[in-house]
């Protein structure tokens, strides 16, 4: 079945560590790609998105993601995480409709 | 401008009762979505409305679930004869069009006792 996979269920990092969260999808053809973040007690917010153009997209709060078409991937990165980045991160793909990954919980230790 | 709003924010009900959850999308957004988020799970697509077209109901888990969207704006998700496994956060999102960015509401936390 076509799907969106986030391989890391829970990631624990210390402040200032680098972050990479994986996202792979199995849809062929044109896709729109998103990363959403859900901070504790808050609703889902858009972190960044890719529709076309430069495959390296920059979002809010120093996050970036790279679309690699050949690998069907859209991994999220941040060079130096902060305690305030503790949240759940969801990858989403629009092909015919939007599908979300299961989410990755990030815990950043101060 | 105002974002997506949902009401109630919390709903506790007894097994077997019916519940109605409401979503007010962003003004001008023609697309509206309902999702379910269970503890430790991702977002499960339930139903999608686009303008005046017939809704995409492919994600509804059973015939106890239904939704309507009146006047192309407000939407109501109804769960009949609630079961304990219906306990979850129900999220609504809206977007300008089907392939555009979705903006989420705060959700309704449903607890079925």
């Amino acid at each position: 079945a076509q799907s969106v996979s986030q391989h890391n269920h829970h990631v624990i990092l210390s402040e200032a560590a680098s972050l990479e969260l994986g996202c792979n999808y199995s849809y062929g053809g044109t896709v729109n790609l998103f990363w959403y973040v859900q901070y504790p007690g808050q609703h889902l917010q858009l972190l960044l998105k890719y529709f076309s153009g430069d495959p390296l997209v920059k979002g809010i709060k120093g996050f970036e993601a790279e679309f690699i078409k050949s690998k069907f991937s859209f991994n999220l990165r941040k060079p130096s995480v902060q305690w305030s980045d503790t949240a759940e991160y969801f990858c989403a793909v629009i092909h015919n409709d939007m599908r979300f990954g299961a989410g990755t919980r990030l815990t950043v230790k101060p | 401008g105002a974002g997506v709003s949902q009401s109630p924010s919390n709903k506790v009900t007894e097994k077997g009762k019916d519940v109605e959850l409401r979503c007010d999308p962003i003004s001008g957004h023609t697309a509206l979505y309902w999702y379910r988020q269970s503890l430790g799970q991702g977002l499960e697509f339930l139903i999608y409305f686009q303008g005046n077209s017939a809704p995409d109901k492919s994600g509804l888990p059973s015939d106890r679930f239904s939704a309507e969207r009146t006047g192309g704006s407000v939407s109501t998700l109804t769960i009949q004869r609630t079961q304990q496994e219906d306990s979850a956060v129900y999220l609504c999102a809206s977007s300008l069009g089907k392939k555009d960015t979705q903006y989420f509401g705060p959700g309704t936390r449903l607890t079925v006792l």
Side-chain angles (χ1 to χ4, degrees), chain A residues 9 32 34 36 38 43-44 46 49 51 90 94-103, chain B residues 33 35 37 40-43 45 56 58 91 98-107:
Chain A
H9 180 63
N32 292 346
F34 304 81
Y36 284 86
Q38 189 171 31
H43 60 276
L44 276 161
L46 181 69
K49 62 185 178 183
F51 283 12
F90 293 92
I94 292 181
H95 183 233
N96 292 320
D97 42 37
M98 184 176 266
R99 290 291 181 263
F100 283 82
Chain B
Y33 309 77
Y35 296 89
Q37 186 178 24
Q41 309 266 338
L43 274 73
F45 165 76
D56 175 357
S58 60
L91 295 171
K98 185 176 184 179
K99 299 202 173 190
D100 293 311
T101 302
Q102 294 182 22
Y103 295 89
F104 284 82

Side-chain angles (χ1 to χ4, degrees), chain A residues 20-38:
Chain A
E20 181 160 3
L21 302 181
C23 173
N24 288 88
Y25 61 93
S26 59
Y27 304 95
T30 302
V31 292
N32 292 346
L33 301 159
F34 304 81
W35 276 97
Y36 284 86
V37 60
Q38 189 171 31

